[in-house]
């Protein structure tokens, strides 16, 4: 089962920062529980967005999981709660 997490910004300047900063490696450091899984990054420049897919994070699905978030509804919120240094001009 594949989990999908989308991240987007509102300006071209913020997009350049996001696309350069949020790599697969950084994503996995921010969400260490994804480290043992295949993570793919999909770049969507016209939407100023990145989409990350994580193969296997959900295991065999909701009924087979003991994780705190078996349906992965909160993975995006978990990522959003992580800390990154953001250039002041983007705030």
């Amino acid at each position: 089962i594949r989990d999908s997490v989308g991240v987007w910004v509102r300006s071209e300047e913020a997009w350049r920062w996001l696309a350069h900063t949020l790599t697969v490696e950084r994503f996995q450091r921010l969400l260490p529980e994804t480290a043992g899984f295949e993570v793919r990054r999909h770049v969507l420049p016209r939407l100023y967005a990145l989409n990350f897919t994580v193969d296997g994070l959900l295991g065999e699905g909701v009924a087979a999981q003991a994780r705190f978030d078996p349906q992965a509804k909160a993975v995006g919120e978990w990522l959003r709660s992580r800390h990154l240094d953001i250039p002041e001009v983007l705030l």
Side-chain angles (χ1 to χ4, degrees):
I1 295 182
R2 181 174 296 148
D3 186 19
S4 180
V5 178
V7 181
W8 64 95
V9 293
R10 295 181 180 167
S11 71
E12 187 173 340
E13 187 175 26
W15 164 246
R16 286 192 301 269
W17 173 83
L18 179 68
H20 175 75
T21 302
L22 194 53
T23 62
V24 168
E25 294 78 18
R26 176 73 55 89
F27 180 90
Q28 289 184 307
R29 282 196 310 267
L30 293 169
L31 298 176
E33 50 275 290
T34 66
F37 299 100
E38 183 176 354
V39 176
R40 291 187 195 98
R41 183 175 96 146
H42 307 277
V43 180
L44 306 165
R46 294 183 76 186
L47 298 174
Y48 297 151
L50 298 173
N51 185 64
F52 292 87
T53 57
V54 185
D55 290 341
L57 183 63
L58 299 179
E60 295 177 14
V62 65
Q65 286 291 318
R67 285 191 45 206
F68 73 96
D69 180 24
Q71 294 179 321
K73 292 178 188 174
V75 174
E77 287 298 317
W78 183 240
L79 177 62
R80 196 170 78 113
S81 75
R82 310 292 64 191
H83 294 273
L84 280 175
D85 290 329
I86 298 173
E88 196 170 311
V89 297
L90 298 179
L91 300 177

